Amino acid sequence: MSSSNPAPGPLVDGPHDPEHDPRASYALEPDQVDRLTGRVLSTTGRTAAVHSPIDGSPLAHIPQSSAEDVAEAYRRARAAQAAWARTSLEDRSAALLRLHDIVLDRQDEILDLIQLESGKARKHAFDEPLHIALTARYYARTARQHLETRRLSGVVPGLTRVEVNRVPKGVVGIISPWNYPFTMALCDGLPALLAGNAVVAKPDAQTMLSALLGARLLEEAGFPKDLWQVVAGPGRELGPPIIERADYICFTGSTATGKVIAGQCAERLIGCSLELGGKNPILVLRDADVERAAEGAVRASFSNAGQLCVSTERMFVADQVYDRFMERFVARTQALTLGATLSWESDMGTLISEGQLETVTAHVEDAVAKGAVVRTGGRARPDLAPYFFEPTILEGVSPEMICFGNETFGPVVSVYRFHDEADAVARANDGDYGLNASIYSQDGDRARRMARQIKCGTVNINEAFAATFASIEAPMGGMRESGMGRRQGSEGILRYTEPQSVATQRLLRFSPMLGMSEETYAKVMTLNLRLMKKLGRA
């Protein structure tokens, strides 16, 4: 399968020169925007404006979908899925491998668009095409491992043949967030496609263009056009009709919304996977490499301006290294290059919206008013971008402060001392979340033992979050109110399938034979069970 579409030009017009101010030299080309927005299924005649958080400039007007458009999206997706499910695993895998190459070849275009829509630093935007390439290659190379029909042991050796097929669910509804607009729009859908499903996607309204570019690249890689449908509009309007027609729902977003979605899926008896909120901890143990821990803490806390589901908002540091660690952590944070630009030089970009800025500002102001100490940062920086907030380190945060247990989702971290490691683990487990954690220690065995005590779906040792996030074979997801289900690994693709057992019986039937009475049959079966145990059979 190959695409007949010609290779398009770049979405962003302007010199790729870091000396230039991108707010003055970059603009989206209207015809390229039209190609993207034309992929939205919309008959309403309504549009919604999208603006760049870099400087507030308009990027596009996104057509808005209705419940009827959602219904049409499912109709088209189901028609395409019926044919796609008959496509060989080899052809599906080949399309994923083509996508791998296209994403790497077009990464500059992808990065520009991600940055213009989200305002994040370029090095953090790079995580997105990197993650999609890793995901596409992993599932393409392991398709048979996950999806090929498997032979299992039958009840009667030699006479009962059992196979398990992996049958696609049908059409998967994916509701993706704004914080990683390219990777979150695609990464959950790639294994769904490989498993033989179609997708109806509703990306967040703030970052539709990045998601639409992803849909376009899927078609260029050879996936059938109708297999991946995109609708646009408020979640409160489109969420219910998406769930009403889906065979499975994948959602990434807030815990509050996730609970509503879980209830709606339960009403229909369909499955769902939910990656939700977090208040993620780091533990810096007494034997930690302080410099390495400080470097990791900066990335853990301030990557994507803290707008990352697995970013750190709570840090527990052993007394023995606390002062040295804080000195290096504060110094490294103060050394960050801040800026809302498209160049590689910025270490941290802007928040995405006025709402995010208001939340971050309110959390910091509340903490300071109640006695917390700002070690660095603590201010909005409208001179850099309308929604920019400095990377902020707080000490003395206590339970009555809003930021103590509530997710900030911004560049704010609270640091606490600990003396006893058991107490540190208990404090790390405090609250209702359980998404990601990190442990810094030079004793790997000890850190891994401690990891088993932490109630988080992923735990990184001597790393902020990338070790688990980029290891696509490892499942990723949350415990407790941080969600249910997993992306990545075998769990990330098997969630989109139904296991179907097929058993073929030879010669012997499961009832009395050759004039045998029911009582004699029961005795024969009992002897057979005892024999199987002696032979070590499962």
Side-chain angles (χ1 to χ4, degrees):
M1 290 176 284
S2 60
S3 172
S4 60
N5 290 343
L11 281 168
V12 177
D13 181 27
H16 283 69
D17 180 356
E19 296 296 323
H20 285 72
D21 177 357
R23 289 172 287 185
S25 61
Y26 286 79
L28 292 177
E29 294 184 350
D31 63 325
Q32 296 287 353
V33 172
D34 289 344
R35 284 192 185 183
L36 294 182
T37 58
R39 306 188 76 86
V40 177
L41 190 55
S42 172
T43 58
T44 64
R46 294 183 287 110
T47 64
V50 175
H51 295 82
S52 175
I54 290 177
D55 62 356
S57 61
L59 294 177
H61 286 82
I62 307 296
Q64 299 296 283
S65 306
S66 64
E68 290 74 21
D69 293 322
V70 171
E72 175 62 15
Y74 274 95
R75 188 195 67 76
R76 295 182 187 183
R78 289 200 185 281
Q81 189 271 332
W84 178 249
R86 296 190 294 270
T87 304
S88 70
L89 277 181
E90 287 78 11
D91 283 347
R92 297 182 215 164
S93 298
L96 280 182
L97 291 176
R98 287 193 293 272
L99 179 69
H100 173 280
D101 293 343
I102 289 171
V103 166
L104 294 181
D105 292 342
R106 304 269 287 280
Q107 63 180 280
D108 283 343
E109 175 186 353
I110 296 167
L111 296 181
D112 287 346
L113 193 53
I114 290 170
Q115 288 188 275
L116 287 171
E117 280 200 301
S118 71
K120 66 177 65 180
R122 197 168 189 82
K123 66 180 183 180
H124 300 146
F126 174 70
D127 291 344
E128 302 201 41
L130 173 67
H131 186 250
I132 290 302
L134 287 169
T135 302
R137 192 182 72 222
Y138 168 77
Y139 282 114
R141 298 298 193 201
T142 60
R144 291 202 170 278
Q145 171 188 326
H146 300 305
L147 299 174
E148 199 165 45
T149 296
R150 291 189 301 126
R151 285 282 298 271
L152 301 179
S153 299
V155 62
V156 181
L159 299 183
T160 309
R161 170 176 173 155
V162 177
E163 298 171 323
V164 175
N165 300 320
R166 284 289 172 178
V167 180
K169 295 269 190 184
V171 181
V172 174
I174 296 180
I175 303 173
S176 59
W178 51 261
N179 60 324
Y180 276 74
F182 185 76
T183 192
M184 290 292 103
L186 290 184
C187 71
D188 289 313
L190 299 186
L193 296 180
L194 182 65
N197 299 282
V199 168
V200 172
K202 194 204 85 64
D204 189 89
Q206 298 172 94
T207 52
M208 285 293 303
L209 295 176
S210 297
L212 289 167
L213 177 57
R216 177 169 156 184
L217 298 183
L218 286 171
E219 188 177 344
E220 290 180 22
F223 289 96
K225 180 177 181 180
D226 284 344
L227 198 66
W228 188 283
Q229 298 289 319
V230 182
V231 293
R236 64 183 177 276
E237 294 179 15
L238 299 190
I242 287 173
I243 296 168
E244 285 168 9
R245 291 170 174 80
D247 299 302
Y248 189 90
I249 289 290
C250 179
F251 170 76
T252 303
S254 72
T255 296
T257 302
K259 289 180 178 180
V260 172
I261 289 173
Q264 293 172 337
C265 290
E267 284 290 323
R268 292 198 55 234
L269 295 178
I270 63 169
C272 62
S273 54
L274 312 168
E275 189 195 282
L276 308 176
K279 195 71 178 175
N280 306 308
I282 278 184
L283 282 73
V284 180
L285 307 187
R286 63 180 180 272
D287 65 340
D289 180 324
V290 168
E291 196 64 36
R292 182 173 183 176
E295 184 277 332
V298 169
R299 283 189 294 111
S301 305
F302 307 128
S303 289
N304 197 25
Q307 300 168 120
L308 172 60
C309 57
V310 292
S311 67
T312 292
E313 295 194 10
R314 299 181 297 149
M315 198 168 298
F316 303 95
V317 184
D319 279 333
Q320 294 90 337
V321 296
Y322 185 92
D323 292 335
R324 286 187 293 129
F325 171 81
M326 284 299 290
E327 178 186 356
R328 296 305 304 141
F329 183 34
V330 170
R332 280 183 168 273
T333 301
Q334 291 174 338
L336 292 174
T337 300
L338 310 180
T341 75
L342 300 195
S343 74
W344 288 95
E345 280 65 29
S346 294
D347 293 317
M348 195 188 90
T350 179
L351 296 168
I352 193 171
S353 67
E354 184 177 3
Q356 288 301 116
L357 177 62
E358 289 174 351
T359 296
V360 173
T361 302
H363 280 208
V364 172
E365 289 181 350
D366 173 78
V368 171
K370 294 174 180 175
V373 175
V374 176
R375 288 294 302 268
T376 189
R379 297 180 302 149
R381 291 290 302 276
D383 56 309
L384 297 175
Y387 315 129
F388 209 105
F389 198 92
E390 293 177 330
T392 300
I393 301 172
L394 300 177
E395 285 183 312
V397 172
S398 53
E400 69 272 12
M401 300 174 188
I402 299 172
C403 69
F404 179 82
N406 295 293
E407 185 177 31
T408 304
F409 217 62
V412 180
V413 62
S414 305
V415 188
Y416 309 86
R417 289 179 181 267
F418 74 83
H419 178 71
D420 177 75
E421 289 182 356
D423 175 61
V425 170
R427 291 162 72 185
N429 287 335
D430 189 32
D432 298 321
Y433 293 119
L435 188 55
N436 181 63
S438 300
I439 301 172
Y440 279 82
S441 169
Q442 297 189 70
D443 186 339
D445 289 340
R446 175 163 153 260
R448 283 186 287 273
R449 287 193 300 271
M450 182 178 288
R452 296 177 68 89
Q453 303 172 44
I454 296 191
K455 297 176 182 177
C456 286
T458 55
V459 181
N460 294 265
I461 294 171
N462 294 327
E463 169 51 35
F465 56 82
T468 53
F469 190 76
S471 299
I472 307 299
E473 191 169 15
M476 179 187 173
M479 299 181 182
R480 302 186 288 174
E481 291 204 355
S482 287
M484 54 189 287
R486 295 291 184 271
R487 65 166 51 98
Q488 304 190 165
S490 60
E491 290 92 338
I493 189 167
L494 296 183
R495 59 181 166 165
Y496 299 127
T497 68
E498 296 283 6
Q500 180 193 58
S501 298
V502 179
T504 304
Q505 188 63 28
R506 303 185 185 92
L507 301 177
L508 179 70
R509 67 175 185 252
F510 291 101
S511 62
M513 297 174 60
L514 304 174
M516 187 182 297
S517 69
E518 293 287 353
E519 182 179 6
T520 302
Y521 173 74
K523 289 178 179 179
V524 170
M525 293 302 292
T526 299
L527 287 172
N528 182 64
L529 291 175
R530 296 188 190 281
L531 176 61
M532 292 300 102
K533 180 190 173 187
K534 286 184 178 180
L535 294 176
R537 294 272 299 184

